Amino acid sequence: VTLNNVTLRDNSAISSSAGIYSWYSTLIFNDCLLENNAAIEPGDWDDSWSGLIMSYYGDITINNCSVNDNESESGGIITNYYGPVSITGSDFNNNTGLLTAYGSDVSVTNSTFTNNHNGLSVYQITIENETIPSSLSVQGSLFQDNYNCIDSSWGEECTGTALFTSNISSILIGSSTFDGNYQGLVASGENTIGLISDCIFENHIGVVDSWGD
């Protein structure tokens, strides 16, 4: 499925996918506007996933798009299982989350991510004893002011990570700037950080963190 110069705006759904729900399909977005869509689970238990796009066993390509003001109670506004994701020349602004990918190779090039509550999260996943690896490549991109602060009984609490990875096989980051996020990069578990080069990390509470081996 290829969408050229398409606007997805002001859609809502209970629990999942206010825009597109896809199985075994290739999704290509060219010069699109994806704006003000929301997936919210009503009641006391938040169980919504993917405010805009949910994909299983398929490819997602986003070229020269603007993705603004979309909302998901949990997960990303784009959630992908078991397929590659490519983002090129696109702007993501003021979304509650960005991309959550499981068992996916994620590539980001010449794109801008600003004022989002959270960033890109990429996970290795195991299904029926089969491990599906993931990787992340980020080149020539800007991650700026991605965080969320709330008032709690402890005072003001802030969260937000530009890039989060868990047990993925490869991380390559080059010629990119991370400025004013709550955290720049968090690598959890057994990640292989192949190369971080020609990057700027500044004005974060945490910059590069790792848990596990």
Side-chain angles (χ1 to χ4, degrees), residues 137-190:
S137 173
V138 177
Q139 302 295 323
S141 295
L142 171 66
F143 293 79
Q144 187 170 49
D145 297 330
N146 297 292
Y147 63 88
N148 182 42
C149 295
I150 61 173
D151 292 326
S152 71
S153 58
W154 298 94
E156 186 179 67
E157 295 187 25
C158 296
T159 60
T161 302
L163 300 176
F164 178 89
T165 67
S166 178
N167 296 312
I168 74 173
S169 60
S170 175
I171 303 172
L172 301 175
I173 305 172
S175 303
S176 297
T177 298
F178 299 81
D179 180 21
N181 307 287
Y182 183 76
Q183 291 178 305
L185 167 64
V186 173
S188 173
E190 297 180 358

Side-chain angles (χ1 to χ4, degrees), residues 62-146:
I62 299 173
N63 296 318
N64 302 315
C65 293
S66 294
V67 184
N68 308 316
D69 301 307
N70 300 286
E71 182 178 0
S72 178
E73 289 285 345
S74 58
I77 59 164
I78 301 170
T79 301
N80 190 55
Y81 285 84
Y82 329 127
V85 178
S86 175
I87 299 171
T88 303
S90 296
D91 298 322
F92 290 71
N93 182 66
N94 200 36
N95 303 284
T96 60
L98 292 179
L99 168 71
T100 303
Y102 302 89
S104 300
D105 295 321
V106 177
S107 174
V108 178
T109 307
N110 298 332
S111 294
T112 300
F113 304 85
T114 57
N115 299 307
N116 303 286
H117 288 188
N118 221 326
L120 310 180
S121 299
V122 184
Y123 302 82
Q124 174 182 286
I125 193 168
T126 300
I127 302 174
E128 296 180 350
N129 298 318
E130 178 184 358
T131 297
I132 302 175
S134 293
S135 67
L136 173 64
S137 173
V138 177
Q139 302 295 323
S141 295
L142 171 66
F143 293 79
Q144 187 170 49
D145 297 330
N146 297 292

